[in-house]
Amino acid sequence: MMQTLDIDLPAGRQMHDFVSELFPICRSLTGDGVRQTLEIIRKHLPGLQVHEVPSGTRAYDWVVPDEWNIRSARLTGPDGSTVVDFKESNLHVVGYSEPVDRELSLEELQPHLYSLPNQPDATPYITSYYKRHWGFCLPHNVRQRLQPGTYRAVIDATLAPGHLTYGEIILPGDSDPSGQEVLLSTCICHPSMANNELSGPAVATWLAKWLQGKPHRHTYRIVFIPETIGAIVYLSRNLAQMKGRTLAGFNLTCMGDERCFSFMPSRKGDTAADRVARHVLRHCAPDHKVYTFQDRGSDERQYCSPGVDLPMCLVVRSKYFEFPEYHTSLDDLTLVTPAGLGGSLAMLRLCLDCLEHNETLRTTVLCEPQLGRRDLYPSVSRANNLDAASLHMIDILAYSDGDHDLLTIAENVGAPLWTLLDTVDRLKAHGLLR
Amino acid sequence: MMQTLDIDLPAGRQMHDFVSELFPICRSLTGDGVRQTLEIIRKHLPGLQVHEVPSGTRAYDWVVPDEWNIRSARLTGPDGSTVVDFKESNLHVVGYSEPVDRELSLEELQPHLYSLPNQPDATPYITSYYKRHWGFCLPHNVRQRLQPGTYRAVIDATLAPGHLTYGEIILPGDSDPSGQEVLLSTCICHPSMANNELSGPAVATWLAKWLQGKPHRHTYRIVFIPETIGAIVYLSRNLAQMKGRTLAGFNLTCMGDERCFSFMPSRKGDTAADRVARHVLRHCAPDHKVYTFQDRGSDERQYCSPGVDLPMCLVVRSKYFEFPEYHTSLDDLTLVTPAGLGGSLAMLRLCLDCLEHNETLRTTVLCEPQLGRRDLYPSVSRANNLDAASLHMIDILAYSDGDHDLLTIAENVGAPLWTLLDTVDRLKAHGLLR
Amino acid sequence: MMQTLDIDLPAGRQMHDFVSELFPICRSLTGDGVRQTLEIIRKHLPGLQVHEVPSGTRAYDWVVPDEWNIRSARLTGPDGSTVVDFKESNLHVVGYSEPVDRELSLEELQPHLYSLPNQPDATPYITSYYKRHWGFCLPHNVRQRLQPGTYRAVIDATLAPGHLTYGEIILPGDSDPSGQEVLLSTCICHPSMANNELSGPAVATWLAKWLQGKPHRHTYRIVFIPETIGAIVYLSRNLAQMKGRTLAGFNLTCMGDERCFSFMPSRKGDTAADRVARHVLRHCAPDHKVYTFQDRGSDERQYCSPGVDLPMCLVVRSKYFEFPEYHTSLDDLTLVTPAGLGGSLAMLRLCLDCLEHNETLRTTVLCEPQLGRRDLYPSVSRANNLDAASLHMIDILAYSDGDHDLLTIAENVGAPLWTLLDTVDRLKAHGLLR
């Protein structure tokens, strides 16, 4: 039963505006760009808590680095003309560049330049977080026209003890006695790139808004963090309370383009997150691409690491590494669209809906109940006169044995879980299921 | 190794006579037609016990309905001619019709008429067991020729407290210490239709006769019941003693035509019943159709329901729902043939044979025994000079480790279980297996 | 990642010389030919222990037979010419022939002659170990030219109480606290045939020499035995100490030709032996043939029998039964080559290497360690700039959860286990794995 995904275009337009507002800000692992970004998210989610972790703080095998802030940067040519300027694009400066103000020959400059011979018009995204370095990124076409002579490289940045900043919002579940949590994690450390990564914070924010507007059984833990070090810091502070309670997790990344959906499983591969993701994608995006955990590259590396073992998978559009605009200036506000964002939001909502409504059911009577006297079954019996709803009803009863959860029943029936919910509710109302 | 099914044609002819004798009787959920049918079965199985369960008796979620008996029925047209008459075919009256003697216009009559536009010469089989109703069933061709005017509908029936009637015969096993049972269940509630359902009682009766004429390890519980309510009533009275003891069950239905065999698994899908059915069908009817438990529609719905959990599967010819004559007057004594019935009987006998002879074996010596000195193996050794029997012998020894049953060994060997029995017996006679 | 098998040609040439030296000796289940063979092996493996088991000794269901020794044999034709003479080829006499010196007609002679109509130039290999018999084997072409007349059959042999002889060498493991053993078993009962079976003792001997020249964690139990009765005798004396300690076993047979490799699993199919064999063959001989345990025919019949249950599989070249020269005089020193032997030696070494290095690993830190500050990871991050070694490093860390062994990790990564060892060592040296 093919389902058409119900793209939320109004929300998609709002998310695109949000991405556009955040786009110019220079984010990095740390610094004021991250703070500005979280401030804008907090306008949408007033309950967002912002945490500051001092440089030098240990987190497992890592140490929080110095904070980086940059005010301006320019590379000037022998003739005094500007080669690249930070104010044109924050991608022009290697992330975490140390401050510099230096004249140097083209030959001396080359080890500090980064460009892409195969994408000569694009500026690449380069960082050097943990080794002191400085550099400029520029289109290969521009680089090739550089003439010998004396260049001046100026980067007005500070790299000094400060803080790593991240945000989190926890939406407590209504009444689930098991107190299970769903984790949504997204990155706020990428400078001006739209699909990877502003689409992630956008969908995370709009999922949080949607959850706040409706009852929900599970608790939702939504975190906005710098990649890798942020996840490690977050886990070092919160893993104890997350372990054993986290039912499912999704790393929200690369969700804004209109290309086909993609799935990457968790390390264990068969967690509740994986199961709902496969179920939803099978019905709503049967042409989705399937990756393996070998293809991981974002914070699932930390969340799924041995001993951490959180059930995190990826439901994304064009996966990082896999689309041509990845980590370049081409990943811009035209690649990401309202329809792309709105479709991803709809897809994730279905995943969360399945998690919310999945439960293990048991019939209350032995043998089939007499549905006819409850007007749940046609009274005149003839060949093949059962409609899909009646068939689903007897199938739900047949598999509600206390061993199969509703997701398994939906898989057996071949129907999306959410199309069975009315029938489940009717059977519960008649006291036939619990 | 393809096996030709050894159709029992003499028994097939006897079964066809039996079906022909039962065909004209008007059976329903209850009533004298059921009693007459059981009386005729009892001529073949003197040990058959007939049970009467009063109307109003509770059985799980159900209540035994009033008993229905019908003496005559006729629909007369405006010109006084007979449109349909019960004495021509008991399918002409909707099962469980309440008594009526009424004149009414064609327009008023229409909601009481049932026909099949796509099979205009066939009379459909319609019932309304649990909601008071009356009606006539007729060929669509006849219905379309009806002229406006005043019709007279007369059904001389009674619908009143009485009994639900069923039969059972239990054939105790010879000496099985585990006291396991095999359940054979078939329906006796269908009026004049041959494949669905007189073929079922016919094969059930002839299986019982065959079992009575030979030693058998397992106990056989053979029940002749009205569909659904009969199974539920039967289970409500017997489930406690059946649970845990029932090794396998088969719902005997749709066994009389000559089309290909079909298999439908139990809800759990891997019970002993499923395993022998798959084994026998793979060897003797490799072109059989395979259905899933989603395709169920007869008493396996009750026997396999959660908490009842009996290991029942279907080995049938053309499955209910799936053949064009299903639940119409076309399901008659020409669709069902001696060869069709005799083949089904043979197939079910093989299934029961496999259940009888399946056992977990263990060799009595470590390493291979010296077969040569027991004349079980050629004394002159040369390349590839082992015949199939010798190969089977060493394979049986190799897998008789106390973990694999003979059915698994037969699957490993790729041979039908019954072709290994002589070899197993020889090995036992030599003290090499137990 | 396809690996080219690194054939050990120098060792292959030495093994071919060894096979050539052993080829003329008349081996059988028992007798001086076996002793001579073991003596030659002992020149290479001074630690080899030779055991003599008296005729009449019981071993499970078997009894050690009388010892057979043959000095000469000749079949002379009516014209006094020699039809076949043992000194031309020891295959000309049926193994375990009783002594005979008799004149008889061609008709009387026929039941004592063995030839192959489909391979008219080949002499077949025939034995009659457990039933008194005598006979000559000859090319069918020669047999068909025999003229009526009086023949003289002379076999100067003795069949009398003596001993069954076998050899074993145990190479204790260095320091494995679990004290696990690897079993290598090969047959020394075949007369002048090269692939089946002198290739087996050759590879077994050279594996032992290789193991003696390097540290090894596991204990190696290497046995040179007559087929079937030898394995049964060996097990009857040693099973108690082998059970539970034997990690893996390989039956070394048919390893000398240059045709494709073959794999036959153990009875259980998923032992450590099966796993490493599949892993090595998948990478180094992706075109290998796969047999099932149904195709067994050598001592794995005993080692894998119920209750013995040793984890033995086969990694061979052209499997017994399957190559045209099998058990004939065509299985000679041209079929077996230095490259064939040297490739099998290399393949088995890789299997043993995998067993030696396989272990269950666990990371020492939560989340990924900071590889960059240990110079294990590039410091400048850009898209897709990880090389295979870096990818393997993070994959090894990701799967080292205390549940997966290195073999499983290698399968996940898609790389041969031995290509990961340097990376594992580096991670251990940095304290990141244990």
Side-chain angles (χ1 to χ4, degrees), chain B residues 368 370 373-374 395 401, chain C residues 61-62 267 296 301-302:
Chain B
E368 292 185 331
Q370 192 176 7
R373 67 172 159 92
R374 297 177 176 93
D395 282 341
D401 56 2
Chain C
D61 190 55
W62 298 65
R267 185 163 67 93
R296 72 199 177 284
R301 288 168 58 164
Q302 314 311 324

Side-chain angles (χ1 to χ4, degrees), chain C residues 47-310:
Chain C
L48 185 78
Q49 286 193 293
V50 175
H51 300 268
E52 300 276 354
V53 184
S55 300
T57 302
R58 298 199 64 86
Y60 300 135
D61 190 55
W62 298 65
V63 176
V64 173
D66 281 350
E67 181 175 328
W68 184 62
N69 283 290
I70 178 167
R71 280 159 296 280
S72 65
R74 183 187 295 175
L75 178 64
T76 313
D79 60 356
S81 68
T82 298
V83 179
V84 291
D85 192 322
F86 173 75
K87 75 180 176 210
E88 300 298 325
S89 164
N90 52 38
L91 289 178
H92 282 317
V93 178
V94 168
Y96 259 65
S97 278
E98 59 188 350
V100 71
D101 183 350
R102 208 178 128 189
E103 295 200 334
L104 63 183
S105 70
L106 180 57
E107 197 181 64
E108 289 169 316
L109 180 63
Q110 288 292 6
H112 295 274
L113 297 185
Y114 297 89
S115 64
L116 300 167
N118 293 327
Q119 291 175 289
D121 293 321
T123 300
Y125 167 48
I126 306 290
T127 64
S128 181
Y129 295 134
Y130 296 100
K131 189 168 183 185
R132 288 277 177 143
H133 186 58
W134 64 265
F136 288 93
C137 306
L138 70 173
H140 201 65
N141 282 340
V142 173
R143 185 180 190 173
Q144 287 195 293
R145 287 196 299 271
L146 297 182
Q147 300 297 323
T150 299
Y151 288 77
R152 184 165 176 211
V154 178
I155 299 178
D156 178 13
T158 51
L159 197 46
H163 294 82
L164 176 150
T165 312
Y166 69 85
E168 79 175 327
I169 182 167
I170 293 178
L171 309 176
D174 292 331
S175 58
D176 190 11
S178 63
Q180 287 192 296
E181 274 189 16
V182 176
L183 169 66
L184 304 175
S185 181
T186 192
C187 291
I188 48 161
C189 61
H190 291 69
S192 299
M193 288 173 297
N195 198 34
N196 180 29
E197 188 58 311
L198 288 170
S199 66
V203 173
T205 301
W206 263 254
L207 282 173
K209 289 161 70 134
W210 171 71
L211 287 162
Q212 284 179 328
K214 74 178 201 68
H216 48 88
R217 185 160 65 115
H218 301 310
T219 292
Y220 288 82
R221 180 184 292 266
I222 308 172
V223 297
F224 300 82
I225 48 177
E227 206 169 19
T228 305
I229 182 69
I232 292 167
V233 164
Y234 189 83
L235 285 167
S236 73
R237 295 175 150 212
N238 296 285
L239 181 59
Q241 46 184 310
M242 295 165 78
K243 278 213 77 142
R245 294 184 58 199
T246 305
L247 173 65
F250 298 90
N251 186 10
L252 302 178
T253 176
C254 300
M255 317 191 83
D257 66 310
E258 293 188 29
R259 295 167 187 149
C260 80
F261 280 93
S262 303
F263 171 66
M264 194 186 76
S266 72
R267 185 163 67 93
K268 305 217 165 178
D270 59 352
T271 70
D274 298 291
R275 292 177 64 221
V276 298
R278 287 196 183 95
H279 180 73
V280 169
L281 287 166
R282 189 177 303 140
H283 283 291
C284 296
D287 61 339
H288 67 280
K289 285 191 191 173
V290 176
Y291 293 93
T292 76
F293 188 67
Q294 299 294 107
D295 302 304
R296 72 199 177 284
S298 181
D299 281 341
E300 64 279 1
R301 288 168 58 164
Q302 314 311 324
Y303 289 117
C304 294
S305 62
V308 175
D309 295 323
L310 292 174

Side-chain angles (χ1 to χ4, degrees), chain B residues 226-241:
Chain B
E227 206 168 19
T228 305
I229 181 68
I232 292 167
V233 164
Y234 189 82
L235 285 167
S236 74
R237 295 177 149 208
N238 295 284
L239 181 59
Q241 47 184 309

Side-chain angles (χ1 to χ4, degrees), chain A residues 225-247:
Chain A
I225 48 177
E227 206 168 20
T228 305
I229 182 68
I232 292 167
V233 164
Y234 190 82
L235 285 167
S236 73
R237 296 175 149 211
N238 295 285
L239 181 59
Q241 45 184 310
M242 295 164 78
K243 277 213 81 142
R245 294 184 59 199
T246 304
L247 172 65

Side-chain angles (χ1 to χ4, degrees), chain A residues 10 23 27 38 42 61 92 97 103 124 134 180 200 212 217 223 248 279 281-282 291 296 315 319 359 386 407 411 419:
Chain A
F23 192 80
R27 279 166 296 275
L38 290 170
R42 187 147 58 180
D61 190 54
H92 282 317
S97 279
E103 295 201 336
W134 64 266
Q180 287 191 297
Q212 285 179 326
R217 186 161 63 114
V223 296
H279 181 73
L281 286 166
R282 189 178 303 138
Y291 293 92
R296 73 198 178 285
V315 174
K319 191 182 147 291
E359 59 183 326
L386 291 182
L407 191 59
E411 294 283 336
T419 65

